Amino acid sequence: MIRTFILSVICVMAVGRLEAAEATNVELQSVGLDFAIVSVTTDVSTEAVEVTYTRDGIEQSAPVDSVKGRYHVVRIEGLDQGESVDYEVRVDGVAVPETTYHPGHFTTLYEPGTFRFSFATITDTHVGESVCGLIGGTDVAGFSWPDAENPYWKFTNEAVVKQINEADVAFVIHKGDVSSDYKEEEFIEARRIFDRLQAPFYPVRGNHDRSPDGEDFYKTVLELEKTSYSFTYDRHRFLLLDTINLENGQQLFSDEDFAWFETEMDEAVQSEQPTWIFLHFAVSEKAEFLFSLLGDLQTLFLQAMAGRSPWIVGAFSGHSHRNIHLKSDIAPGVSFVETAATKEYAGSWTEVRVYTQGWVQISHPIDCPECREWYDITTGMYEGRAQEIKLGTIEDRCFVAPFHEKLVEAEPSEQDGDADTLENDAVTGATSQEGNDFEGCRSGGKIPGAWVGLVVALLVASVVRRKRAEG
């Protein structure tokens, strides 16, 4: 009898252990001025997820918000600026080992001077898309969402609009690929979504926004007078560039466009205006060449920015669907930032906070019940290498970038009034298509050549499979 009872207890314990949840992915998703966000995905539904952190030698627990019992988000709040924090994730009482993406510690950001204003950026929304993760020339399978009435591009972009509205930013810049296949109905749907933003919306054309078949729906539906244009906010100048060939989506920036671009930068320098440049393609020579400007055009851009340093704050791009913060040997002191797409892993939007002595970028994960599940599904993109290629380190996503001393001196004083002046210069835009080292900045990509190596490997594998199928 006793033997039978003991065996029964052992069996129950063994079965319980087999059914215990395990973490399949843990990420330190965001670090701000006084908070951090950790996400935990488990293989089965569980309520036994705990995130603890230590402050002043005292261990504290952070509240866990769960969806379907598998997708857990933890927000650690009430921290001090520049505070170093250790944290631990436990699932069913078992500590999750630290990784590159779950380092077990972080340091909150700090405010470089007096706050002036903030703005948001999003990119690669691909409104109308039905399958993501495809790579041209390969037979790699893509990913789709089962509910055709509520496609992934819809719930991710509606969620980002809601979050940005809650952040109360001055304006929003879209860094390209508003649509999936440059169709009129896609831009109409994009207008429906982004017209809900409570701040002014400024788009940049991406390669998916080209118009090879006639009418330029990107321009007409979004009601843009010019597709390369500028505006000024609180004495900061913002240049939004259309570098897309309308026929094939490749790079194109005419001599006339470039002359306008240089004139805008020269006027900014003469007016002592910090200047921010936005375009779809990456610019730094250290960017993956599959997603950057190439050849002479890239060199011209970098030399033009280097010649106006230190007044050029940075060049901000989408297209690569990844998070990375780069430098350039040709244009030292200029920040080159690429950020992830909204519509798939690692879905996020960026908050840029501008101060008198520098600026802060905070990457915010896009959150909704469907978003959590979808972003977990699409970590499987690119043969399971999406996290390696797209997420980047926390320093790529969240960082402080001090201004050069000349920009600090040129900052307006408190006597100059509020920073809520928006001066839109789009009507004088181009006729397109008609230094210092920064904290957290990199000299090169986290995984050198990761995209190139992946694409080559997939192309070879696709050819081999086709040959075998042909017999």
Side-chain angles (χ1 to χ4, degrees), residues 8 51 93 107 138 142 155 185 191 204 207 222 301 386 429 442 460-461:
S8 298
V51 175
T107 301
T138 76
F155 59 72
E185 58 267 30
R191 276 291 302 267
V204 170
N207 55 299
L222 299 185
F301 263 80
R442 304 176 165 278
V460 171

Side-chain angles (χ1 to χ4, degrees), residues 209-450:
D209 303 320
R210 59 190 184 273
S211 59
D213 302 321
E215 185 175 353
D216 186 353
F217 295 120
Y218 166 80
K219 185 176 180 181
T220 57
V221 175
L222 299 185
E223 298 182 5
L224 298 172
E225 184 174 350
K226 304 290 183 181
T227 55
S228 283
Y229 56 100
S230 70
F231 65 87
T232 299
Y233 191 92
D234 188 37
R235 295 181 61 187
H236 288 251
R237 182 167 297 205
F238 295 84
L239 307 183
L240 283 67
L241 310 181
D242 180 353
T243 58
I244 306 300
N245 185 319
L246 296 188
E247 292 297 320
N248 54 29
Q250 297 177 10
Q251 67 180 31
L252 176 64
F253 207 58
S254 69
D255 291 342
E256 184 179 3
D257 293 333
F258 203 83
W260 171 84
F261 175 49
E262 291 194 298
T263 298
E264 286 283 327
M265 288 192 293
D266 288 339
E267 290 178 355
V269 171
Q270 293 167 8
S271 302
E272 297 187 337
Q273 292 177 310
T275 302
W276 309 65
I277 299 168
F278 293 83
L279 68 167
H280 190 56
F281 294 138
V283 180
S284 173
E285 77 279 10
K286 298 180 184 296
E288 293 277 13
F289 77 85
L290 292 173
F291 304 107
S292 65
L293 296 176
L294 299 174
D296 292 342
L297 184 57
Q298 181 187 59
T299 302
L300 285 171
F301 263 80
L302 290 170
Q303 290 176 343
M305 287 186 279
R308 279 93 175 166
S309 181
W311 300 102
I312 307 302
V313 176
F316 303 82
S317 308
H319 193 45
S320 64
H321 298 200
R322 69 171 181 168
N323 297 299
I324 198 162
H325 186 191
L326 295 168
K327 293 191 292 187
S328 166
D329 293 334
I330 301 173
V334 178
S335 190
F336 296 88
V337 179
E338 303 167 41
T339 53
T342 64
K343 55 98 176 183
E344 65 195 19
Y345 181 87
S348 59
W349 65 278
T350 58
E351 176 187 8
V352 179
R353 299 177 61 83
V354 183
Y355 295 82
T356 54
Q357 298 177 37
W359 56 284
V360 173
Q361 175 177 293
I362 303 172
S363 175
H364 294 276
I366 300 169
D367 194 23
C368 69
E370 298 90 346
C371 299
R372 294 189 193 181
E373 184 173 0
W374 174 242
Y375 293 145
D376 177 60
I377 290 171
T378 51
T379 57
M381 292 188 299
Y382 315 126
E383 304 284 83
R385 295 180 65 188
Q387 187 180 57
E388 171 191 353
I389 291 171
K390 291 178 166 235
L391 183 60
T393 66
I394 193 66
E395 293 82 11
D396 286 315
R397 289 172 272 137
C398 304
F399 54 84
V400 178
F403 284 140
H404 186 280
E405 60 182 8
K406 287 188 177 180
L407 276 68
V408 173
E409 293 171 359
E411 285 294 296
S413 65
E414 292 297 319
Q415 286 80 10
D416 287 327
D418 296 332
D420 57 354
T421 302
L422 187 63
E423 183 181 327
N424 191 339
D425 296 329
V427 293
T428 60
T431 57
S432 177
Q433 306 298 343
E434 300 232 63
N436 287 343
D437 287 349
F438 300 127
E439 298 177 25
C441 195
R442 304 176 165 278
S443 59
K446 172 173 67 67
I447 309 293

Side-chain angles (χ1 to χ4, degrees), residues 189-210:
E189 186 63 25
R191 276 291 302 267
R192 184 193 66 79
I193 294 173
F194 298 124
D195 277 354
R196 297 176 183 174
L197 286 166
Q198 295 170 2
F201 176 69
Y202 297 100
V204 170
R205 192 197 298 271
N207 55 299
H208 282 261
D209 303 320
R210 59 190 184 273

